[in-house]
Amino acid sequence: MTDDHDFSPIGRRRHIVRLALSVAFLLAMFYLVAIARVIDVESVRDMIAATGPAAPLVYAVVSAALGAVFVPGTILAAGSGLLFGPLVGTFVTLGSAVGTAIVTSFLGRRAGRGSTRGLLGAERAARIDAQIERRGLWAVVGQRFVPGISDALASYAFGAFGVPLWQMVVGSLIGSAPRAFVYTALGASIGELSAPLAYSAIAVWCVTAIIGAFAAHRGYRSWRGRGAGTEREAADATESVGRRGPQPEHIAS
């Protein structure tokens, strides 16, 4: 819960600075890891392969940590397929995706939850909490279906807005399953991209992308419709009060 100090200019400035520093740190990590590629994923993969029978579990844990610092999930999933094949590799990739969601949402909640609520204010925060309670799970699922959005960045944001951990786990498990199969299968098919497995993976990716784009568009239209409806209700209530004018006070005899 936020106090009155959170809504003062000093309190708001403190929240803005804290969120800005968190975002700057995440963007810097994203650049260093996802773009500059300061982590050699191939060397990590070779070291994990040397662990023997424990390699799938070790790979899932290490991949979850690497995903949290923005190592692209496509590379991690392809490496899983290359090491363990399409079947075991898909489960390894899915476990890694759920692990990344747990780590990033927890860190997002710790770093940005209080400041986000402080900037939104008590009333808006309560409305968002109600929306999350009803639709948070499917927001996570839908985000995983939309291509081109970093799952780690989205999970940090979900955590900052207070999406419960169980919704992150279940939503990631459902939403990440198609892409886990796609990228793992492509990794397992390296050198044989004409194989039926590769074609199946590409077909699943196309279907998932279409569903994700449709769901995102429908969700955005629904959100705009709810916002417009709320504004109309507020305007009607204000106009109604204005027409009635001030109400007479009842004086007790």
Side-chain angles (χ1 to χ4, degrees):
M1 179 178 291
T2 58
D3 52 28
D4 293 337
H5 177 68
D6 291 330
F7 302 103
S8 68
I10 295 177
R12 289 181 65 84
R13 248 193 318 271
R14 176 169 57 84
H15 290 311
I16 291 172
V17 170
R18 182 177 180 181
L19 285 176
L21 290 174
S22 299
V23 171
F25 174 77
L26 291 177
L27 290 177
M29 290 294 297
F30 181 81
Y31 172 78
L32 290 172
V33 177
I35 298 176
R37 304 287 176 89
V38 296
I39 296 178
D40 188 349
V41 178
E42 290 187 7
S43 298
V44 174
R45 190 170 60 220
D46 292 340
M47 287 188 294
I48 292 173
T51 60
L57 179 60
V58 174
Y59 193 88
V61 173
V62 173
S63 293
L66 292 176
V69 295
F70 304 113
V71 172
T74 53
I75 296 176
L76 296 172
S80 178
L82 188 62
L83 286 175
F84 310 116
L87 181 59
V88 175
T90 296
F91 285 101
V92 171
T93 299
L94 195 54
S96 168
V98 173
T100 296
I102 293 172
V103 172
T104 50
S105 64
F106 174 78
L107 293 177
R109 177 182 288 268
R110 293 298 299 268
R113 172 72 166 153
S115 294
T116 301
R117 293 182 67 85
L119 288 175
L120 289 172
E123 185 178 346
R124 288 181 180 176
R127 287 204 299 267
I128 288 177
D129 287 343
Q131 290 291 328
I132 288 173
E133 185 177 352
R134 291 195 298 269
R135 300 180 178 88
L137 171 63
W138 300 112
V140 177
V141 174
Q143 180 274 313
R144 263 47 178 182
F145 271 61
V146 178
I149 299 177
S150 168
D151 290 348
L153 276 177
S155 295
Y156 280 116
F158 283 135
F161 278 101
V163 175
L165 186 61
W166 75 267
Q167 290 186 355
M168 292 299 305
V169 171
V170 177
S172 297
L173 191 63
I174 297 172
S176 299
R179 281 193 293 171
F181 164 74
V182 168
Y183 297 129
T184 305
L186 289 175
S189 303
I190 288 177
E192 199 178 350
L193 292 180
S194 62
L197 182 62
Y199 284 126
S200 300
I202 293 170
V204 171
W205 186 90
C206 292
V207 171
T208 302
I210 292 170
I211 294 174
F214 176 77
H217 177 68
R218 184 172 181 179
Y220 176 70
R221 290 185 61 183
S222 176
W223 174 76
R224 284 194 63 185
R226 285 196 300 271
T230 302
E231 290 179 0
R232 282 196 301 269
E233 290 175 4
D236 292 343
T238 303
E239 184 179 351
S240 176
V241 171
R243 283 199 303 266
R244 288 200 304 268
Q247 299 297 313
E249 297 182 0
H250 297 283
I251 302 176
S253 57

